[in-house]
Structures are given as structure tokens and as C-alpha cells.
Amino acid sequence: METFDRVLGKVSMALAWTACAIIPCLFTLIVIDVSIRSIGYNPPLFTSSVVEYALLYVAMFSAPYLVRIKGHVAIEALLSVMPHPLRRALAYIVYFLCGTSSLLFAYFSYQLMYYAWVDDILDIRGVDMPQWTQYLPMLIGFLFVGLEFLMYLIGRRHYYSYDLGEVKDGV
Amino acid sequence: MVFEWYWAGAILLGCVMAGMVLGFPVAFTFLITNIIGTCIFVVRGYSSFGEFIDGALRQIPQVVDNSPQLITSFTLSPIPMFILMGSLFFHTGIAIRVFDALDKLLGRIPGRLCFLTVVGGSLFSTLTGSTMANTAMLGSLLVPEMQRRGYNKRMSMGPILGTGGLAMIIPPSSLGVLLASIAQVDVGSLLVAGILPGFVLAGLYAGMIALQLVINPAGAPSYEVEPTTLKEKIRQVVVNIMPMGLVVFMVIGFIVLGWATPSESASFGVVGVIILAIAFRKLTWEAIKTSLIGTIRVVGMVFFILMNSTVFSQLLSLSGASRGLVQWATGFEIAPILILTIMFVVLILLGMFMDQVSMMLITVPIFYPIAVQLGYDPIWFSLIVLMSLEMSATTPPFGLLLFIMMGMVKGTTLGQVASAAAPFLLCDLILVIILVLAPELGLWLPSLMAK
């Protein structure tokens, strides 16, 4: 399990760096597009479509890394004043529901991607984008988000900032 | 089963509120609520549990399909750029150069570091769109120096908390772009509308600092500073401050002159910061890496929440909750200003327990139709919403900026931080009243732009 967790961490990190790499590509693309327009030529049609899809890739590729570093904002006020057993139980309910719902979304994203691929569905934007390219980052993102939460569920880490020892010792 | 609008609203909002209070990460609160809401309000015509499951499995893919609708929108593209601008300013050290230069310009005046906070914070607000970045930068640069100079906690923390929030209203504002996108108002007009109120607010903060110094001069004692010659002051302005105009021009100037849309000008802003960093020989691989990963942490979190909340807004509409609430709220024979006040108070109260993005996502689908129905200008109403968001970031018990400040000033209690912020909250409230009495303050510049 340790090896799996380590590999999962590396994949999440690689996805996050991919999301990082997308951002410079985005502003470069936009600057080139506006510059071409400013000097009187027709800018490429694909810019807005590519930027729009790239925003989705940024969101989905950074999501698993954010789960690992506890970067998805949560309100801990009530949890922090709860009795330890209740807090522990609630934390595991959170991990379970977040993990399973993410895996469910990953499954449906796969289903949508498969049908979009087979039926060759196009998303009509500035340029027609193959619809499966919209579902691909959702499949990857939700899948690894789900797996990251499962790591919390099996007790490898704890998501919340209050005293971790209290919870882990009690497991 | 068909629900009355109030039950539908109570179920959906109740699920989100309960999830947040129970500690679910905000994005996943929306995601799970979407699944529950779809099962309750969309799955219909079943007579057995098997049929219900079958219906749910047919409808949930629609939730997945609808989720990316909002974030695959070009109008959201400035958000990562504005946050990257702030990160680059901070991690390349350009921000520190600007502050050093401003520091040399202020003479030996009482409370000079407080005024430096307001001037530097306002300038930095025009260079970055992130409230958190602004507060963290002001705090890390100025709090240690203020403590060394014998400023009391109220005078060292208050101006930073107030000025840090200015980034929410002075363009470029990430939250402004987000609000405009969710509420479907013109991004450029909203950004430009924030300029005058932002600087009026900075003036109110400076006035408040002066007043506090009159009441308690010992709170920010004056101290000897090394005299700076006029030549040196001019050199500091030319070398360290005037170049910042390039970034301001590339973001706000490009929008006002119509050379680029607000979404596009943000990218030029990043290019401007990179040009400055190269000119100052401060652009390092390490600074780029740290800035990018810092950007991803904020953008990834916000976009993931946004993505999962898209369907929530659709469910509010589909279940009839939004329409019912608007009809109910506008059906009373009471003055629109009272309804506006109620919405303002609701935002402040929500902000005590919730982050700004979640607040926006929950309230915008309900409040904007009401505001429009009451005859309020959406741009002006957005300014009021941004002001309430700014105020809520410094209201206890969970105002985000309060916690950033507590993290920077060790050994400080929440009560002390909140008390330091209170006079500046009063300034915010005064600006809201000015905006209500004189909406032109916010609407004059957008009207010029439209012409």
C-alpha cells in the first residue's frame, strides 16, 4: 500500500505540474492572438476554444494534488470542538462520501467520453472541439481525487488541521 | 414527488450548509448535494426502489455533463493570470523594491508605516488580483518592522487588514471577474467600476489612521529616519515605481482603450510583470516554479468549487426555488433599500462562516434576479456585493484575512485581530453608504467606457 500511495503521490504531482505548464501556454496564446489582431490580420479561430478547454484541464489536473496537500478549503470550526470519537467518525464519513462520489463521477465521465468518442460528437465553439477531450480530464481528475480520498479512508493521512495524533491513535 | 419552492430551497441550501458545517471540503459539498438534488428533483416517475436507482443512474451523467459548463468560459481566463501576477510580484522580489522606494518617499511622519501600508497596498492592489496575496505580502513585509518600531497591535494589524482587502475592489480583481462571470455581468465594466470606490476607500483608511493617531499617538510612535535627498527620491520614483505603470497600463489601460478585452488584458499583465522581472534581473527559475504552483493552489481550488457548483445553481432554478424566492422577496410592499439591506446583512452573516467563493455561488443565483427586479443596476449591485465580500473577509469568527494575520503575528488572539480590523470595517460601511447615496461613484467610469 505504501508503494501505491507513493506512486499515487507522484502521479498527482505530475498532473499538478501539467496544470502549471498549461498556464504559461494560455497567456502566450492569448498575447499572440491579440497581437495578430492588433496588426490587422485575422487571429486563429481556435484560441478561445483551446483556452476554455484548458481552464477545465487546469481545474481537473490540480484537483488530486490539492486533495493530497489538503488544499480544498473546508470549514473545520464545528469539527474542532466535537468529541474525538464523533470527530473521527465524521472524518471517515467525509472521506468515504467524497471518495465514492468522485469515483462515481469518474465512471460517468468515462461513459460520456466513450460515447462521445464512438459517436464522434463535436462541441460547437470557436472551432469544433471533439467532445471526448472535455471528458478526458474529468475522468483522470475525478479518478485520482477518488483514490486520494481512499488513502485518507484507509488511514494513511488525515485531511483536517486539528491534532492528527488524536484521530490516528484512535483508529 | 413535487416540492413547494421553499422546501426545495431548504433541502438544497440545507444540504450545502450542513455539508460545509460538518467539514466536507466545499467543492465536494456541492458535488454531493448535486447528486442528492438530482435524485430528489430530477428523477421522476418511479414506483419501486429499483426504478429509482435506474432513474438516478440515467440522470447523474447529466450532472457530470453539465458540471464544466461555467469553467469552460473564456471570461474566467483572467483569474489564473491575476493570481500569477501577484505571485510573480511577490516571489521575484519586485514588490519589496516598490515598498522600499515608497518607504524612502515618506518623511518622518507619525504612523508612517501605517500610511505606507495604505499607499503600498493600494498600489499593489492595482498590480495583483488577490486579496490573500495582498494581505500576506503587506503583513510579511510590514508587521515585523512595525513591531520593531513599537507600534501597538491595533495600529500594526488594522491598516493591513483593511488595505489587504482593497484588492477585492480595485482592478484587477480575481473575485470581481468571478462574480461577473457567475452573475453574467460585463467583466470590463465591473473592473473599471471598482477604480473610484477603491481609491475613495483608500482615502477613508488614511483618514481613519490619522484619527486613530490623534486619539492615541503612542500607538504608532514616530522615529528617526535617514534623510533622503530630493535627487534620491526622484531616482526611486523613476527606477522602482514608475515602471509599475507598465503593468497597470497593460491591464487597465488596454481595457479602457479597447485594445484588449478584460480576459485578454490579464495575459498582458503577466507579460508586463515578466518584462519588469527581467529588467530588474529578478526572474529566476525558482521564482517561476514557486509562483506557478502557488497559482495552481488557488486557481485549482476555486475552479473545482466553481465546477461543482454550476449544477447546484441549475438545480435551484429547476426545482423552482430561485423563482419562488424572487417572487416572494419582491412581493412585499417594502422599500427596495430594505431588501438591499437584508441582502447585505445576509452576505456579512454568511461571510462569518464561509469563504467568499462559496458565498457568491450560493447567493448570486438568488440575489441578482431580486436586485434586477427591484431596478438596481447589476454593475452597481456587484460593487455592493464585492464590498460585503471584502467586509466578510475581516469579520470574526472565520474571516479569512483574520486568520492570515493571526498566522503572521504570533501570540495574537482572534479578538485582538478583529478589534484592530473594526475601524476599517467602519470605513467599508461608509463607502457602501456613499455608493447607495451616490451610485455615480461606481457607475461614472463604466458609462464613460461605454461611450
PDB file of all heavy atoms in Angstrom, chain B residues 210-224:
ATOM      1  N   ALA B 210      -5.244  58.497  10.570  1.00  0.00           N
ATOM      2  CA  ALA B 210      -4.939  59.808  11.151  1.00  0.00           C
ATOM      3  C   ALA B 210      -5.771  60.021  12.410  1.00  0.00           C
ATOM      4  O   ALA B 210      -5.260  60.499  13.437  1.00  0.00           O
ATOM      5  CB  ALA B 210      -5.217  60.896  10.119  1.00  0.00           C
ATOM      6  N   LEU B 211      -7.042  59.638  12.357  1.00  0.00           N
ATOM      7  CA  LEU B 211      -7.929  59.791  13.514  1.00  0.00           C
ATOM      8  C   LEU B 211      -7.434  58.948  14.695  1.00  0.00           C
ATOM      9  O   LEU B 211      -7.396  59.419  15.839  1.00  0.00           O
ATOM     10  CB  LEU B 211      -9.352  59.370  13.116  1.00  0.00           C
ATOM     11  CG  LEU B 211     -10.441  59.572  14.167  1.00  0.00           C
ATOM     12  CD1 LEU B 211     -10.689  61.054  14.411  1.00  0.00           C
ATOM     13  CD2 LEU B 211     -11.748  58.916  13.708  1.00  0.00           C
ATOM     14  N   GLN B 212      -7.046  57.727  14.397  1.00  0.00           N
ATOM     15  CA  GLN B 212      -6.553  56.851  15.468  1.00  0.00           C
ATOM     16  C   GLN B 212      -5.277  57.422  16.097  1.00  0.00           C
ATOM     17  O   GLN B 212      -5.055  57.296  17.293  1.00  0.00           O
ATOM     18  CB  GLN B 212      -6.289  55.448  14.922  1.00  0.00           C
ATOM     19  CG  GLN B 212      -7.572  54.647  14.713  1.00  0.00           C
ATOM     20  CD  GLN B 212      -7.288  53.237  14.229  1.00  0.00           C
ATOM     21  OE1 GLN B 212      -6.712  53.059  13.160  1.00  0.00           O
ATOM     22  NE2 GLN B 212      -7.679  52.260  14.988  1.00  0.00           N
ATOM     23  N   LEU B 213      -4.455  58.050  15.255  1.00  0.00           N
ATOM     24  CA  LEU B 213      -3.204  58.641  15.765  1.00  0.00           C
ATOM     25  C   LEU B 213      -3.486  59.848  16.656  1.00  0.00           C
ATOM     26  O   LEU B 213      -2.766  60.099  17.623  1.00  0.00           O
ATOM     27  CB  LEU B 213      -2.299  59.056  14.602  1.00  0.00           C
ATOM     28  CG  LEU B 213      -1.605  57.904  13.873  1.00  0.00           C
ATOM     29  CD1 LEU B 213      -0.917  58.410  12.623  1.00  0.00           C
ATOM     30  CD2 LEU B 213      -0.593  57.232  14.788  1.00  0.00           C
ATOM     31  N   VAL B 214      -4.558  60.599  16.298  1.00  0.00           N
ATOM     32  CA  VAL B 214      -4.935  61.746  17.138  1.00  0.00           C
ATOM     33  C   VAL B 214      -5.404  61.238  18.502  1.00  0.00           C
ATOM     34  O   VAL B 214      -5.018  61.764  19.552  1.00  0.00           O
ATOM     35  CB  VAL B 214      -6.054  62.577  16.445  1.00  0.00           C
ATOM     36  CG1 VAL B 214      -6.637  63.609  17.409  1.00  0.00           C
ATOM     37  CG2 VAL B 214      -5.491  63.259  15.212  1.00  0.00           C
ATOM     38  N   ILE B 215      -6.220  60.163  18.482  1.00  0.00           N
ATOM     39  CA  ILE B 215      -6.751  59.625  19.742  1.00  0.00           C
ATOM     40  C   ILE B 215      -5.642  58.996  20.582  1.00  0.00           C
ATOM     41  O   ILE B 215      -5.570  59.169  21.787  1.00  0.00           O
ATOM     42  CB  ILE B 215      -7.874  58.590  19.437  1.00  0.00           C
ATOM     43  CG1 ILE B 215      -9.054  59.299  18.761  1.00  0.00           C
ATOM     44  CG2 ILE B 215      -8.335  57.889  20.714  1.00  0.00           C
ATOM     45  CD1 ILE B 215     -10.072  58.363  18.138  1.00  0.00           C
ATOM     46  N   ASN B 216      -4.768  58.238  19.933  1.00  0.00           N
ATOM     47  CA  ASN B 216      -3.703  57.549  20.678  1.00  0.00           C
ATOM     48  C   ASN B 216      -2.370  57.667  19.934  1.00  0.00           C
ATOM     49  O   ASN B 216      -1.972  56.756  19.204  1.00  0.00           O
ATOM     50  CB  ASN B 216      -4.090  56.074  20.870  1.00  0.00           C
ATOM     51  CG  ASN B 216      -3.021  55.306  21.635  1.00  0.00           C
ATOM     52  OD1 ASN B 216      -2.191  55.893  22.332  1.00  0.00           O
ATOM     53  ND2 ASN B 216      -3.050  53.985  21.504  1.00  0.00           N
ATOM     54  N   PRO B 217      -1.660  58.789  20.147  1.00  0.00           N
ATOM     55  CA  PRO B 217      -0.406  58.993  19.401  1.00  0.00           C
ATOM     56  C   PRO B 217       0.652  57.942  19.722  1.00  0.00           C
ATOM     57  O   PRO B 217       1.516  57.652  18.887  1.00  0.00           O
ATOM     58  CB  PRO B 217       0.066  60.377  19.865  1.00  0.00           C
ATOM     59  CG  PRO B 217      -1.094  61.001  20.555  1.00  0.00           C
ATOM     60  CD  PRO B 217      -1.966  59.907  21.042  1.00  0.00           C
ATOM     61  N   ALA B 218       0.568  57.337  20.922  1.00  0.00           N
ATOM     62  CA  ALA B 218       1.584  56.352  21.305  1.00  0.00           C
ATOM     63  C   ALA B 218       1.420  55.035  20.555  1.00  0.00           C
ATOM     64  O   ALA B 218       2.321  54.186  20.572  1.00  0.00           O
ATOM     65  CB  ALA B 218       1.504  56.101  22.806  1.00  0.00           C
ATOM     66  N   GLY B 219       0.271  54.868  19.881  1.00  0.00           N
ATOM     67  CA  GLY B 219       0.019  53.606  19.172  1.00  0.00           C
ATOM     68  C   GLY B 219       0.973  53.382  18.017  1.00  0.00           C
ATOM     69  O   GLY B 219       1.274  52.238  17.654  1.00  0.00           O
ATOM     70  N   ALA B 220       1.436  54.474  17.404  1.00  0.00           N
ATOM     71  CA  ALA B 220       2.377  54.354  16.283  1.00  0.00           C
ATOM     72  C   ALA B 220       3.402  55.468  16.421  1.00  0.00           C
ATOM     73  O   ALA B 220       3.308  56.502  15.750  1.00  0.00           O
ATOM     74  CB  ALA B 220       1.631  54.463  14.958  1.00  0.00           C
ATOM     75  N   PRO B 221       4.371  55.282  17.313  1.00  0.00           N
ATOM     76  CA  PRO B 221       5.309  56.381  17.589  1.00  0.00           C
ATOM     77  C   PRO B 221       6.151  56.750  16.369  1.00  0.00           C
ATOM     78  O   PRO B 221       6.507  55.868  15.568  1.00  0.00           O
ATOM     79  CB  PRO B 221       6.196  55.833  18.710  1.00  0.00           C
ATOM     80  CG  PRO B 221       6.009  54.360  18.673  1.00  0.00           C
ATOM     81  CD  PRO B 221       4.694  54.076  18.077  1.00  0.00           C
ATOM     82  N   SER B 222       6.450  58.042  16.245  1.00  0.00           N
ATOM     83  CA  SER B 222       7.330  58.440  15.136  1.00  0.00           C
ATOM     84  C   SER B 222       8.772  58.120  15.524  1.00  0.00           C
ATOM     85  O   SER B 222       9.099  57.998  16.697  1.00  0.00           O
ATOM     86  CB  SER B 222       7.168  59.931  14.827  1.00  0.00           C
ATOM     87  OG  SER B 222       7.384  60.680  15.986  1.00  0.00           O
ATOM     88  N   TYR B 223       9.605  57.935  14.540  1.00  0.00           N
ATOM     89  CA  TYR B 223      11.001  57.569  14.801  1.00  0.00           C
ATOM     90  C   TYR B 223      11.899  58.239  13.754  1.00  0.00           C
ATOM     91  O   TYR B 223      11.417  58.653  12.680  1.00  0.00           O
ATOM     92  CB  TYR B 223      11.182  56.045  14.788  1.00  0.00           C
ATOM     93  CG  TYR B 223      10.692  55.375  13.522  1.00  0.00           C
ATOM     94  CD1 TYR B 223      11.539  55.185  12.443  1.00  0.00           C
ATOM     95  CD2 TYR B 223       9.368  54.949  13.405  1.00  0.00           C
ATOM     96  CE1 TYR B 223      11.085  54.586  11.278  1.00  0.00           C
ATOM     97  CE2 TYR B 223       8.908  54.352  12.256  1.00  0.00           C
ATOM     98  CZ  TYR B 223       9.764  54.170  11.198  1.00  0.00           C
ATOM     99  OH  TYR B 223       9.313  53.591  10.050  1.00  0.00           O
ATOM    100  N   GLU B 224      13.164  58.318  14.108  1.00  0.00           N
ATOM    101  CA  GLU B 224      14.109  58.978  13.199  1.00  0.00           C
ATOM    102  C   GLU B 224      14.306  58.116  11.949  1.00  0.00           C
ATOM    103  O   GLU B 224      14.440  56.899  12.052  1.00  0.00           O
ATOM    104  CB  GLU B 224      15.459  59.173  13.890  1.00  0.00           C
ATOM    105  CG  GLU B 224      15.468  60.287  14.941  1.00  0.00           C
ATOM    106  CD  GLU B 224      15.047  61.637  14.377  1.00  0.00           C
ATOM    107  OE1 GLU B 224      15.388  61.938  13.218  1.00  0.00           O
ATOM    108  OE2 GLU B 224      14.335  62.377  15.090  1.00  0.00           O
TER     109      GLU B 224
END
